[in-house]
Amino acid sequence: MFEGQPKGLYALALANTGERFGYYTMLAIFTLFLQAKFGYTAAETSTIFGSFLGFVYFMPLIGGILADRFGYGKMVTSGIVVMFLGYTLLAIPTGADITGKAMMFGALALISCGTGLFKGNLQVMVGNLYDDPKYASQRDNGFSIFYMAINIGAMFAPTAALKLIAWAKMALGASEQTAYHYAFGVACVSLIVSMAIYY
């Protein structure tokens, strides 16, 4: 399964592992964060969370259109940068006032746009590796490896987020509201690693 694969596959797969780790770290705690920090009800939280996911799954359509015009590699790079800005906004401790809410909703917009630029276009780049007849027979195995890497990133993210929140409370004396920002910081770090691997 791992033999005869183009070298670029592993770089792209590991870059996606880092990005998915950050994304699922954020998802694992986001609804708890909304309720703990801003006092949203369960219904309000569900509406915000559902709307965010809707944009996350819609934006790759826009990302694909832009990639056809400007290139897949540029869109993947832009996507990582935009997502990083979004996670950074979430990682900055703020109050629960209008400024804090504006930063939170701005972060969601950036993350959904960045994901739209990154997600689908990275998969196209993986597919393009197998246009070479030398690797064509390995396409199915290659995508199995690629999606395995995604699942590895997703598997460890929730545990990492909760452990970091507990550590921030115990070691740093962070409040319930502030502790979540440390976990969002992990998403920022994972994207830096993802970008380094990608380049």
Side-chain angles (χ1 to χ4, degrees):
M1 180 176 181
F2 293 94
E3 295 180 0
Q5 298 291 343
K7 292 181 180 179
L9 170 66
Y10 300 105
L12 295 177
L14 289 173
N16 207 30
T17 300
E19 185 274 332
R20 290 288 92 181
F21 180 86
Y23 178 73
Y24 284 109
T25 297
M26 177 258 188
L27 282 192
I29 60 172
F30 187 64
T31 55
L32 300 175
F33 165 73
L34 289 177
Q35 292 177 335
K37 178 156 187 172
F38 298 108
Y40 286 120
T41 65
E44 291 170 331
T45 300
S46 297
T47 299
I48 294 169
F49 188 68
S51 299
F52 168 67
L53 289 182
F55 279 110
V56 164
Y57 286 102
F58 171 76
M59 291 308 292
L61 174 64
I62 307 300
I65 293 171
L66 293 173
D68 287 338
R69 184 180 181 91
F70 299 107
Y72 299 109
K74 289 181 179 178
M75 291 302 100
V76 168
T77 301
S78 299
I80 293 176
V81 172
V82 172
M83 281 188 288
F84 177 79
L85 294 174
Y87 289 132
T88 300
L89 286 181
L90 285 178
I92 297 172
T94 62
D97 55 8
I98 188 67
T99 301
K101 290 180 180 179
M103 289 179 66
M104 183 269 293
F105 283 113
L108 295 185
L110 288 170
I111 293 168
S112 60
C113 289
T115 303
L117 295 172
F118 179 89
K119 190 176 179 183
N121 291 321
L122 189 73
Q123 293 164 331
V124 171
M125 291 178 70
V126 172
N128 288 343
L129 295 174
Y130 297 92
D131 289 344
D132 186 339
K134 177 182 176 181
Y135 300 115
S137 63
Q138 295 295 325
R139 183 183 296 268
D140 288 345
N141 287 337
F143 272 100
S144 295
I145 294 170
F146 182 74
Y147 286 111
M148 191 186 307
I150 292 174
N151 290 330
I152 290 171
M155 180 172 63
F156 292 106
T159 302
L162 295 176
K163 292 287 186 185
L164 193 58
I165 290 170
W167 174 82
K169 290 179 181 178
M170 185 178 299
L172 303 177
S175 66
E176 177 75 18
Q177 291 83 3
T178 306
Y180 287 98
H181 295 286
Y182 289 93
F184 292 133
V186 171
C188 295
V189 173
S190 71
L191 278 181
I192 292 173
V193 173
S194 180
M195 182 178 289
I197 293 171
Y198 175 70
Y199 272 101

